[in-house]
Amino acid sequence: MKTVKAFAAEKADQPLGPFDLQRRTPGPSDVEIEILYCGVCHSDIHTARNEWGGTIYPVVPGHEIVGKVTAIGSDVKNHKVGDTVGVGCMVDSCGTCGNCEEDLEQFCEKGMSGTYSSYLQDKKTVTYGGYSTSIVVTEKFVLKVSDKLPLEGVAPLLCAGITTYSPLRHWKVKKGDKVAVVGLGGLGHMAVKLASAMGAEVTMLSRSPEKAKDADKLGAHHFELTTDPENMKRLKGTYDLIIDTVSASHDYSAYLNLLRTDGVMVLLGVPPTPEQIHATSLIFGRKSLAGSLIGGIKETQEMLDFCAENGIVSDVEIIPMDKINEAYERTIAGDVHYRFVIDMASLEG
């Protein structure tokens, strides 16, 4: 075992603070990683504050991890000491169920092992995330990261990037497709960048007119205010795919109305309360309302390679570890463009 520095929440109503964490000695199939950068996801906040229930305390959040390999086990084939690598939202799965065999480890039938506040496949060992100086992960769940891109901007790709890439790929977005993105935040700004790089005609749908300039910079071809009833009427039947990233309560039916026949609206955000949808919103136009999580390891590597080829990273604000509680409050207030990333060297100091 090895003691490493970390930041943890001890209770739901307490701020995060310094925490000494025990990491396992790398086994034959393990990779030890020095963490350089870790993104701050809204899921970190929900979990630290037990807003979704089931948090295992103390919790060390962080599942947008980029770093350097410092040690490998004897059976490791695909990584070597000094490699730049990443770790996302999963650190293991059963590997034998139907979903795992189809490279859908995120839907492991026995339960995938989340990077934090979860259990390894022994269902006993608690996982601790990337708000720490190092991590040990089984080889299959370690991803190759290109040195072509700034690593601080790569870190959020491990969650925000794959969360938006996966539905775009699953619904086969291609050149000329009309894609709309609802919500311009950590997820939304990645959806705009990725859909645009895939050749889609991208529209940003927003309630905030001041976001039009940012949407344009990110690659959106159009910006439409959803607070304007005439706009919403004009846009009826326009889009092939809508990516909805909003986690606040909102009217799904209003957006379903904007889909073409056989169009699909994909939910990525998780509002705090259930939403009602009238059946006619789907029946007329044979429309679909779907959800999507992250991708599997194979698809996540594909996403990282796609981003490297197309020069895509997240727009980030770098913070030291001791600013994490302030960053949580700013994230809740929407005061970040568009992802906080922790420089883990600040924890070493």
Side-chain angles (χ1 to χ4, degrees):
M1 301 294 283
K2 178 180 178 181
T3 301
V4 302
K5 293 181 179 179
F7 254 52
E10 301 275 358
K11 296 181 180 179
D13 58 354
Q14 291 184 0
L16 280 75
F19 180 73
D20 285 337
L21 173 63
Q22 296 295 312
R23 294 292 192 194
R24 70 181 185 267
T25 301
S29 62
D30 284 337
V31 176
E32 181 184 72
I33 303 162
E34 175 193 4
I35 300 174
L36 301 178
Y37 296 100
C38 184
V40 179
C41 176
H42 211 126
S43 298
D44 299 350
I45 303 172
H46 289 308
T47 305
R49 298 179 178 183
N50 201 31
E51 292 171 351
W52 289 339
T55 297
I56 305 167
Y57 291 101
V59 58
V60 176
H63 57 203
E64 299 178 344
I65 299 166
V66 171
K68 295 283 186 180
V69 176
T70 51
I72 59 172
S74 58
D75 295 339
V76 172
K77 305 298 183 186
N78 296 317
H79 305 285
K80 63 183 185 300
V81 172
D83 283 356
T84 306
V85 295
V87 177
C89 301
M90 303 178 287
V91 292
D92 208 355
S93 70
C94 79
T96 58
C97 71
N99 282 337
C100 286
E101 290 181 347
E102 293 293 326
D103 297 312
L104 297 170
E105 298 93 347
Q106 72 273 32
F107 302 128
C108 176
E109 293 165 20
K110 296 180 182 178
M112 61 89 166
S113 297
T115 306
Y116 61 81
S117 194
S118 183
Y119 293 98
L120 294 179
Q121 290 301 297
D122 62 8
K123 305 304 178 184
K124 296 177 183 178
T125 305
V126 176
T127 59
Y128 298 99
Y131 294 8
S132 58
T133 54
S134 72
I135 192 169
V136 178
V137 180
T138 189
E139 177 184 21
K140 183 180 178 182
F141 287 78
V142 178
L143 297 140
K144 295 181 181 296
V145 171
S146 170
D147 287 319
K148 295 179 182 177
L149 301 175
L151 298 185
E152 63 271 23
V154 171
L157 300 181
L158 277 302
C159 178
I162 187 57
T163 298
T164 47
Y165 182 90
S166 187
L168 292 170
R169 272 291 185 248
H170 181 76
W171 278 279
K172 299 178 172 61
V173 168
K174 61 187 182 303
K175 184 177 176 61
D177 284 351
K178 292 189 175 183
V179 175
V181 178
V182 185
L184 187 53
L187 292 177
H189 94 287
M190 288 307 310
V192 170
K193 288 187 178 191
L194 291 167
S196 179
M198 291 175 184
E201 182 180 336
V202 182
T203 299
M204 185 71 232
L205 300 175
S206 177
R207 298 172 55 85
S208 306
E210 66 272 12
K211 291 189 176 181
K213 187 178 291 186
D214 277 359
D216 180 66
K217 289 179 181 177
L218 292 166
H221 303 90
H222 311 284
F223 180 88
E224 299 288 354
L225 275 179
T226 58
T227 52
D228 184 340
E230 291 304 313
N231 255 7
M232 297 297 277
K233 287 181 183 179
R234 176 175 57 82
L235 295 171
K236 182 179 179 181
T238 297
Y239 304 111
D240 300 295
L241 180 71
I242 296 175
I243 302 292
D244 186 343
T245 71
V246 176
S247 292
S249 295
H250 58 294
D251 183 3
Y252 291 157
S253 294
Y255 294 103
L256 288 165
N257 195 44
L258 308 186
L259 289 172
R260 290 178 171 177
T261 300
D262 288 326
V264 180
M265 185 165 103
V266 184
L267 304 181
L268 303 182
V270 184
T273 56
E275 303 294 332
Q276 288 192 336
I277 304 170
H278 200 286
T280 56
S281 297
L282 302 173
I283 290 170
F284 288 98
R286 199 164 57 194
K287 300 167 185 176
S288 299
L289 180 64
S292 185
L293 191 61
I294 54 172
I297 294 300
K298 181 179 179 180
E299 188 173 57
T300 304
Q301 187 63 62
E302 177 188 305
M303 177 274 304
L304 288 170
D305 296 342
F306 179 87
C307 288
E309 291 167 9
N310 290 275
I312 297 172
V313 291
S314 290
D315 290 11
V316 303
E317 179 178 336
I318 309 300
I319 61 168
M321 189 74 254
D322 62 7
K323 295 292 185 183
I324 188 62
N325 293 299
E326 177 185 330
Y328 274 18
E329 296 307 318
R330 287 182 56 194
T331 299
I332 293 167
D335 181 24
V336 55
H337 292 82
Y338 284 96
R339 208 68 155 186
F340 286 113
V341 171
I342 307 162
D343 180 351
M344 299 311 302
S346 64
L347 186 54
E348 288 280 14

